[in-house]
Amino acid sequence: MTGMLGSGTSALLAFQRALGTVSHNVANASTPGYSRQRVELAARPGQPEGSGWIGQGVDVASLQRLADGLVFARQVDSSGELGRLGQLSSLAGRVDALVSDPATGLSAPWSAFFTAADAIAAEPGSTVARSQLLAAGEQLAGRWRTLDGQLSALEHEAGQRLQATVSDANQLAGEIAGLNRAIIDGGRNVSPDLLDARALRVERLAGLVGAEAVAQDDGSLNVFTAGGQPLVMGARSMKLATVADPARPDRQQLAIDGPGGKVRLASASVSGELGGVLEFRDRVLDPARAELGRLATVFATSFNAAHRAGVDYAGAPGADFFTLPPPRVDVHAGNSGGASLAARVDDASALTGHDLVLAFDGTWTARRADTGEAVALGGSGTAADPFRAGGLRFEVGGAPAAGDRFTLRPGADAAAGLRVALTDPSQIAAAAPLQAGSDAGNLGSARAASTRVTDAGAFAAFNGASIEFIDAGQYTIDGAGPYPYTAGSPITAPGGGWSLSLDGTPAAGDAFSLARTPPRSSDNGNALALGALDQQAILDGGSQSLTSGLSQLTARVGTDARHAGLGLEAQTAIHAQVSAERESVSGVNLDEEAADLMRFQQAYQAAAQVISTADAMFQTLLSAVRR
């Protein structure tokens, strides 16, 4: 009877523990990161009695947490990639919407501006048409500024996301270290709920920065970033931080706060949401802003050059239509010398839009800031012989020290600083500067095609000229010369100031007369050139037009956003598969738990009946002894 009572009592306690575990599973069926628990029962060793063995009941051998380490590792990896692609897709999609939407992009004001330029070509003397061109120019420049401002706001937001994510990651790393400490202290009897809490935080940390968890013999987990930087080592956590970029004081970089101070980390050393923000900034935002600035620079510089080639309604040479700030030069925070750099655009068609790093180590070298690729550097850096690279020219002032570096950002301020310089519609240079006449006795096929002002100061003294060809390859100007002539090349004044381009082939004796275009002229020669500038091959060394460049910017941003979106869709499907696999192992199935609840309840009742029967037998025995 004693053995029967002991067996019943052990069963009652074991099934009570099992019922408690089932109820715990049911209660946490919707708890994030919870892993189903199961009571493992083991029979007590029997005792010999007479010719056989008598069982002693049951013990709770362990409380098992149903989890698969390999599935957990895949889930951590998938969470990091999902976080990275989620941030990249979301932010890149916003850039795409800004650039491609007619309400925020450049296409509508761009078309309106050149339509207004064509209207002046149709009515050069119309004050209304001239006023409309100025208004369209203001709208186009304003849209450029607004678009760059929106991209700048995205840059600021990316910096705030960077700091917020670093703060959240540090908090999670600290919590994981604290759970590691509790798990180490718990030893083999550690609560499965502590393991679940740690696994959930590791997965969340992976979603923020990307992570790899490495199990240790004492039960703790060491956590590293995707690039191998330690975040949690046992019961100790490291801290991520942000530091100012020494080459770009307006930008924060990622760092790790170690015993020796903050050490900058490469963008590729993290994944997750943090990696997505950094990748968006480096791969999508920076190229988009640089290209936007390049297009603004090439457009304004080219339009100004074309505008200066004509004369306005008063007959004066055209002035700059737009104003642009000079290319930005950022001084590296570690520079120790006293050198300074002044840059300006040298050849708009050669601008690449890439930031350049100019470094001094006894001699000056230039490299692309994004790839480190060497860039050919011409000149010596003096005012008489400035450095030339990537369509820029820059002069060095002061004395540099070894190791000094400067970052040249040609497109950084261009879009934000684009302004219309003219205020008076009569200042629009719609007319060609010269009126060219052909001698009636000319025998060749040459005809005056276009004229240009090449130097406004020298042109001020121009009062007319006569050009006479000695033969097809030589000409004189007002009897001076002869000067060599090459078909397709313009004829230029000996003292500068103007140029004349011819179509056809001149013959010996052919003569042309040139006179200044008078004030209030209805000539539209320069307006035609201004209106056709959008289709003129100017970009990339004269290989594509400005309109094509704008289309390529829109297409490039759209492609980046689309690729990020497709990657996110694929990773979402992969993550769903991994989550389903985890649920199949660790998830709580309420139907199964209900069945276990009934089974253990019946077993508990049966164990109670065993105890009741043993008690009845004992009471019967006592009654028999009393008699």
Side-chain angles (χ1 to χ4, degrees):
M1 285 186 293
T2 304
M4 184 177 178
L5 185 62
S7 296
T9 302
S10 69
L12 194 69
L13 294 174
F15 293 131
Q16 182 182 16
R17 181 72 179 276
L19 285 168
T21 301
V22 170
S23 65
H24 187 58
N25 288 339
V26 172
N28 289 280
S30 299
T31 301
Y34 179 78
S35 298
R36 183 162 59 98
Q37 299 174 14
R38 183 174 64 194
V39 169
E40 296 290 338
L41 304 178
R44 290 177 176 177
Q47 290 186 351
E49 184 170 324
S51 60
W53 292 81
I54 300 298
Q56 299 298 305
V58 65
D59 281 328
V60 175
S62 65
L63 180 62
Q64 185 178 2
R65 173 177 174 262
L66 300 179
D68 188 327
L70 295 177
V71 174
F72 172 67
R74 289 199 298 275
Q75 193 170 18
V76 168
D77 182 67
S78 177
S79 295
E81 191 66 4
L82 188 66
R84 180 185 73 85
L85 289 170
Q87 286 293 320
L88 181 61
S89 177
S90 173
L91 294 171
R94 290 169 62 182
V95 175
D96 181 33
L98 284 172
V99 173
S100 61
D101 193 317
T104 55
L106 288 168
S107 58
W110 177 266
S111 298
F113 179 76
F114 282 98
T115 298
D118 291 335
I120 289 186
E123 294 184 88
S126 171
T127 302
V128 174
R130 290 169 174 266
S131 298
Q132 287 177 341
L133 181 62
L134 286 183
E138 292 283 4
Q139 291 174 354
L140 178 57
R143 181 63 59 85
W144 235 305
R145 295 193 301 271
T146 300
L147 184 53
D148 185 78
Q150 292 296 319
L151 295 180
S152 178
L154 270 177
E155 164 120 17
H156 181 67
E157 180 182 331
Q160 290 181 319
R161 285 178 182 268
L162 182 68
Q163 293 178 336
T165 304
V166 163
S167 177
D168 292 343
N170 287 338
Q171 180 178 349
L172 285 170
E175 292 175 1
I176 293 170
L179 289 167
N180 270 342
R181 186 180 301 108
I183 289 169
I184 293 171
D185 293 341
R188 299 185 62 181
N189 293 322
V190 63
S191 167
D193 297 309
L194 286 178
L195 300 177
D196 283 345
R198 183 180 65 181
L200 179 63
R201 283 159 177 77
V202 170
E203 184 184 353
R204 288 177 176 171
L205 181 61
L208 295 179
V209 300
E212 179 183 359
V214 180
Q216 304 300 302
D217 292 340
D218 58 3
S220 65
L221 283 181
N222 289 346
V223 184
F224 303 86
T225 69
Q229 294 295 328
L231 293 176
V232 179
M233 300 294 289
R236 185 166 58 95
S237 64
M238 309 297 178
K239 286 189 177 296
L240 294 174
T242 56
V243 294
D245 188 335
R248 293 186 57 175
D250 59 334
R251 172 168 288 186
Q252 293 291 310
Q253 281 188 335
L254 183 65
I256 192 163
D257 198 353
K262 295 179 180 179
V263 179
R264 291 193 300 273
L265 299 178
S267 299
S269 64
V270 294
S271 183
E273 292 183 12
L274 195 59
V277 171
L278 293 173
E279 186 175 353
F280 160 75
R281 200 171 64 176
D282 295 340
R283 258 195 54 219
V284 179
L285 184 61
D286 282 354
R289 290 194 72 187
E291 183 63 8
L292 190 70
R294 180 177 83 113
L295 291 173
T297 300
V298 176
F299 162 70
T301 302
S302 302
F303 198 88
N304 285 345
H307 193 259
R308 290 194 303 267
V311 292
D312 61 19
Y313 205 51
D320 282 347
F321 194 96
F322 294 100
T323 59
L324 271 176
R328 182 190 296 184
V329 178
D330 288 333
V331 181
H332 195 279
N335 285 5
S336 57
S340 61
L341 223 64
R344 63 183 185 273
V345 176
D346 182 48
D347 181 1
S349 67
L351 284 176
T352 62
H354 304 306
D355 292 351
L356 299 178
V357 175
L358 194 67
F360 181 77
D361 192 10
T363 59
W364 289 96
T365 58
R367 295 185 176 276
R368 280 181 52 171
D370 53 351
T371 64
E373 177 185 353
V375 176
L377 189 64
S380 59
T382 63
D385 184 26
F387 285 128
R388 287 180 169 86
L392 300 172
R393 58 186 297 169
F394 32 94
E395 304 165 9
V396 179
D404 282 1
R405 284 169 287 172
F406 298 85
T407 302
L408 277 69
R409 302 172 58 196
D413 299 325
L418 184 62
R419 297 285 190 282
V420 173
L422 302 184
T423 57
D424 186 350
S426 66
Q427 293 178 309
I428 295 176
L434 303 176
Q435 294 180 338
S438 302
D439 191 278
N442 285 0
L443 300 177
S445 61
R447 297 290 182 272
S450 63
T451 60
R452 293 177 60 89
V453 173
T454 57
D455 186 328
F459 184 76
F462 176 76
N463 291 313
S466 177
I467 300 172
E468 185 173 350
F469 279 85
I470 299 173
D471 53 38
Q474 297 181 88
Y475 64 90
T476 62
I477 301 178
D478 294 332
Y483 306 105
Y485 175 73
T486 302
S489 298
I491 296 172
T492 58
W498 57 266
S499 68
L500 167 68
S501 297
L502 299 177
D503 285 339
T505 304
D510 284 359
F512 299 88
S513 61
L514 300 178
R516 290 182 68 117
T517 299
R520 306 180 66 82
S521 171
S522 60
D523 183 89
N524 68 350
N526 204 52
L528 290 171
L530 294 176
L533 192 68
D534 60 333
Q535 299 301 327
Q536 185 177 339
I538 298 174
L539 291 170
D540 302 330
S543 63
Q544 68 171 330
S545 68
L546 286 167
T547 299
S548 296
L550 286 175
S551 299
Q552 286 192 4
L553 170 62
T554 303
R556 186 181 302 119
V557 171
T559 299
D560 288 340
R562 180 59 178 159
H563 285 172
L566 290 174
L568 178 61
E569 290 177 11
Q571 190 59 41
T572 300
I574 292 172
H575 192 73
Q577 294 172 359
V578 175
S579 298
E581 188 175 357
R582 182 199 179 278
E583 284 299 306
S584 68
V585 175
S586 303
V588 176
N589 186 316
L590 292 177
D591 291 337
E592 183 179 343
E593 298 301 324
D596 285 344
L597 190 65
M598 293 180 62
R599 180 165 59 90
F600 290 134
Q601 180 185 12
Q602 292 174 353
Y604 183 87
Q605 291 172 343
Q609 188 62 40
V610 169
I611 295 175
S612 177
T613 301
D615 178 67
M617 293 172 61
F618 187 67
Q619 294 299 329
T620 300
L621 180 60
L622 287 178
S623 298
V625 172
R626 289 192 196 101
R627 296 189 191 124

